[in-house]
Amino acid sequence: MATKVRDIMTGSPTSVSPELDIVTVARAMRDEDIGAVLVIDGEDLQGLVTDRDLVIRGLAAGGDPAHAKIGGIASRATATVGPDDSLDRAAQIMRERSVRRLPVIEDGRPVGIVSIGDLAMEEDSESALADISAARPNT
């Protein structure tokens, strides 16, 4: 049974520049079949963008998504975990911050993302959330 974030995180997270447009990022997420990307400026983690952010803060806000910058809709990365943090610690941070995904940072650099679904599959494999998270996407 896994006890550390590194055991369940998605490694080698996709990252994008805050200067990229929303459409380019949306296509990258589609092509890679992922629901979140890290926004990195140089080596600094600026935030996280989810598929929901693309819709709520990007498309629904109006304007031209081909010109709107992803950095303008990113959720700021106010909470992170380390790869050697416990799963309990990750869950506690998610609860306290009301977030579903946490960037995993090691030596100041992003090395992964851990999601509430990752935790559910590890901690409560019989739960509905674990079943949904383990299922193949229906694209």
Side-chain angles (χ1 to χ4, degrees):
M1 180 174 198
T3 60
K4 295 184 185 264
V5 168
R6 81 168 59 252
D7 299 328
I8 66 166
M9 71 182 192
T10 299
S12 302
T14 298
S15 62
V16 298
S17 163
E19 296 304 313
L20 280 179
D21 63 88
I22 292 171
V23 172
T24 299
V25 175
R27 288 180 179 149
M29 291 170 71
R30 176 201 61 202
D31 294 347
E32 294 182 38
D33 194 25
I34 56 176
V37 296
L38 299 178
V39 179
I40 308 274
D41 191 7
E43 291 190 18
D44 296 326
L45 175 64
Q46 300 293 305
L48 181 105
V49 171
T50 67
D51 43 10
R52 186 173 193 276
D53 293 331
L54 289 173
V55 173
I56 303 299
R57 294 188 190 141
L59 297 176
D64 183 354
H67 292 97
K69 304 298 182 201
I70 203 71
I73 68 163
S75 299
R76 300 294 166 230
T78 59
T80 63
V81 290
D84 292 320
D85 284 343
S86 71
L87 300 184
D88 288 341
R89 176 76 178 130
Q92 176 186 4
I93 292 170
M94 287 180 183
R95 270 192 308 275
E96 289 171 355
R97 301 292 179 103
S98 297
V99 296
R100 295 180 174 102
R101 295 176 178 95
L102 291 171
V104 182
I105 306 296
E106 184 172 46
D107 298 325
R109 299 181 57 169
V111 295
I113 296 177
V114 65
S115 73
I116 193 169
D118 298 330
L119 289 172
M121 288 188 302
E122 181 61 32
E123 297 291 314
D124 188 7
S125 61
E126 300 300 314
S127 71
L129 179 57
D131 286 344
I132 292 166
S133 298
R136 294 183 57 104
N138 63 359
T139 55

